[in-house]
């Protein structure tokens, strides 16, 4: 998987959104053992994964967050819109600092039904994004949060990540 990714990271033109699927435990192990040792095509270590949930909440601030939560029942799209704006801003800032970013802990995006196309839009040309996703392939689609009760499971849009840019961790 790392050698395939390293090869894909060499290209500057095109779409560069990648995903790694697994259980939370598998993703943690992958992050702590494989990603900390991996080198990109330029010979640098992979960047530390960014916790998206934590970053989005930190960007909003406590007082704004309280106001949004109080207004959620009357205006449910308000939080969704704000989180979407903050996600786009976060991606822009992360990609300004580095051409390759790794993102983990994306639960807020799915809880609020955010538009995930921002990843495809931002992961173009010289920008590469790797998503660490708690999920697995089931048939021809990807189910996220597959370890949870079925009412909490989500499907990743079929065209979000190209099939040859998506890898699944296994116990072997």
């Amino acid at each position: 998987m790392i050698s395939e990714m390293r090869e894909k990271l060499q290209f500057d033109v095109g779409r560069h959104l990648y995903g790694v699927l697994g259980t939370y435990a598998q993703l943690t192990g992958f992050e702590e053992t494989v990603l900390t040792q991996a080198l990109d095509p330029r010979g640098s270590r992979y960047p530390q994964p960014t916790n998206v949930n934590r970053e989005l909440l930190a960007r909003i601030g406590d007082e704004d967050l309280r106001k949004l939560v109080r207004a959620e029942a009357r205006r449910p799209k308000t939080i969704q819109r704000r989180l979407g704006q903050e996600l786009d801003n976060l991606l822009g800032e992360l990609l300004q600092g580095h051409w390759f970013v790794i993102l983990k802990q994306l639960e807020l995006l799915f809880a609020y039904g955010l538009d995930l196309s921002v990843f495809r839009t931002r992961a173009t040309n010289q920008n590469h994004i790797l998503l660490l996703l708690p999920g697995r392939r089931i048939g021809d689609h990807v189910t996220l949060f597959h370890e949870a009760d079925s009412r909490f499971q989500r499907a990743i849009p079929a065209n979000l990540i190209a099939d040859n840019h998506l890898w699944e961790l296994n116990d072997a």
Side-chain angles (χ1 to χ4, degrees):
M1 176 186 334
I2 292 298
S3 60
E4 284 181 42
M5 187 174 303
R6 184 182 172 107
E7 185 177 313
K8 291 177 187 312
L9 290 173
Q10 294 181 53
F11 297 101
D12 284 341
V13 178
R15 298 223 179 259
H16 306 294
L17 180 60
Y18 315 100
V20 173
L21 301 170
T23 64
Y24 280 103
Q26 289 171 325
L27 291 170
T28 298
F30 178 73
E31 178 184 343
E32 292 173 354
T33 59
V34 176
L35 289 181
T36 58
Q37 301 302 311
L39 298 177
D40 67 28
R42 300 172 186 178
S44 300
R45 293 239 184 257
Y46 276 25
Q48 285 283 99
T50 299
N51 182 321
V52 174
N53 291 337
R54 187 175 304 143
E55 290 297 321
L56 290 178
L57 291 174
R59 294 171 78 83
I60 293 175
D62 291 341
E63 187 57 36
D64 277 354
L65 188 58
R66 278 192 282 279
K67 287 178 187 174
L68 287 170
V69 169
R70 282 193 299 267
E72 184 177 15
R74 293 185 314 274
R75 298 173 26 211
K77 296 289 183 186
T78 303
I79 291 179
Q80 183 184 48
R81 195 169 31 257
R82 176 71 185 272
L83 285 172
Q85 290 169 345
E86 294 298 341
L87 175 62
D88 187 48
N89 294 339
L90 173 63
L91 292 174
E93 290 171 20
L94 289 171
L95 290 166
Q96 267 185 341
H98 201 276
W99 60 277
F100 176 41
V101 297
I102 302 172
L103 304 174
K104 66 179 185 176
Q105 304 298 324
L106 307 165
E107 292 81 4
L108 277 176
L109 311 184
F110 296 97
Y112 284 97
L114 297 190
D115 180 9
L116 303 179
S117 66
V118 67
F119 291 117
R120 285 183 53 97
T121 302
R122 290 289 188 169
T124 57
N125 298 329
Q126 71 277 4
N127 296 324
H128 298 257
I129 298 174
L130 172 62
L131 304 177
L132 302 179
L133 299 166
R136 70 176 182 185
R137 290 181 204 249
I138 298 176
D140 61 347
H141 67 279
V142 173
T143 299
L144 298 176
F145 315 113
H146 64 286
E147 296 176 295
D149 188 87
S150 62
R151 64 190 167 131
F152 299 116
Q153 295 176 1
R154 299 290 183 265
I156 192 168
N159 61 351
L160 183 66
I161 302 173
D163 199 46
N164 65 344
H165 286 91
L166 189 63
W167 299 275
E168 189 167 5
L169 300 172
N170 55 44
D171 292 326

